[in-house]
Amino acid sequence: MEKKRVAIIGGGQVAEKVHVSYYGSREEIELAAVVSPNADRAKNFAERNDIPHYYTDASEMYAAVKPDMVSICTPNRNHYENVMLALENGCDVLCEKPPAISADEARKMRDAAIQNNCLLAYNFHHRFADDVTIIREKAEEGMLGDIYVVKVKALRRCGIPGWGSFTNKEVQGGGPLIDLGVHMLDAALYVLDFPKIEKVTAKMYQKIGTKKSAGTLGEWDPEKFEVEDSLFGFVELEGGRLLQLETSFALNIKETSIMNVEFCGDQAGATLYPAQIYTDEGGELVSLLKREIADADRHQKSMRSFVDKCLGKDVMVADGEQGYVIQQLIEALYESAEKGESVSL
Ligand SMILES: NC(=O)c1ccc[n+]([C@@H]2O[C@H](COP(=O)([O-])OP(=O)(O)OC[C@H]3O[C@@H](n4cnc5c(N)ncnc54)[C@H](O)[C@@H]3O)[C@@H](O)[C@H]2O)c1
């Protein structure tokens, strides 16, 4: 069998740690090229990872290498142009999260994938945990009853990233909501099978990033801290369900970090990481299902799904349509917080 040729667009840390390291483990895949704007860094990346070609211009790479599959690992602002170019060149695409900066971009990306008959998947890796599969199945079987409240937390106490462009609003599109919250929103909506979103209300703050300059994830310039450091939202879903969101890079809470979703049903409740289901019997908490440790293999499972799907297997990926829904939700939360009023979808 001929190997599938893969190109990496954006030779940064997630490209190396997650994408390249996974592709290297699959014998059906050949790492063919990397594209990054800085020639020296692109060259180093290629040499370090045994990639035969490097480019600073993606169009040149497509003309010369003609890859079958592409990983888009650039900063958020550059996802759209790079996904569109990859799809125009007939490639199957795995794009890092968030899908894009705006819902309009995510919609055009979804449509371009359909028009070009290519796969478009997003690396929402948290939904690939076994814990999520378990809770989704148990919820579908009715173990939780009617799930009417969902609590989504993607919180850091002092975790403003000190590298990359995470505090730059233009490049990233926002702060913890678009960077961290997006992961847990995807996991929550995936468990619920993407119900219709009706109304969104949010409030955001910039209270710590503009005052402090260092935390557990490095140092930043408080004068260039342009994004929210926390955001809180209420998302009204069809059927009267409520999703409550808390997300932060910096917030004075006790825990260093929380990434989890809690589902409250009228029969039982559940947490995702690790998967646990519990209920109340006469005032006592009773465990119905208890995993001790959450699946740590999420990135590999997400990558495996993308590769297997490209090889023709019928497996789940976070697809272009779901990416569009998530991006609409992110945009509506920011719009509500900026305007100080609810936004209907
Ligand atoms: N799924 C996850 O858990 C996860 C984890 C980390 C990062 N990410 C996402 O991955 C993306 C990259 O993050 P990172 O931490 O690797 O950042 P990074 O800064 O380490 O890497 C980005 C790379 O893209 C290159 N680049 C910039 N503009 C480009 C362009 N127009 N064309 C090609 N390359 C370009 C940069 O030079 C850099 O090498 C972001 O969208 C981020 O949200 C996802």
Side-chain angles (χ1 to χ4, degrees), residues 153-160 180 208 216 232 246-260 262:
K153 291 187 184 182
L155 295 164
R156 289 183 192 153
R157 187 177 65 230
C158 53
I160 294 173
L180 299 178
I208 297 175
T216 48
F232 306 86
E246 300 173 30
T247 186
S248 68
F249 277 161
L251 184 68
N252 280 313
I253 51 174
K254 276 200 277 183
E255 301 85 351
T256 314
S257 163
I258 308 175
M259 290 287 273
N260 217 333
E262 194 172 0

Side-chain angles (χ1 to χ4, degrees), residues 7-9 33-39 42 54-65 82 85:
I8 306 286
I9 315 290
V34 59
V35 181
S36 242
N38 179 304
Y54 70 91
Y55 295 83
T56 54
D57 182 88
S59 296
E60 262 182 52
M61 184 280 293
Y62 286 111
V65 173
N82 278 297
L85 191 59

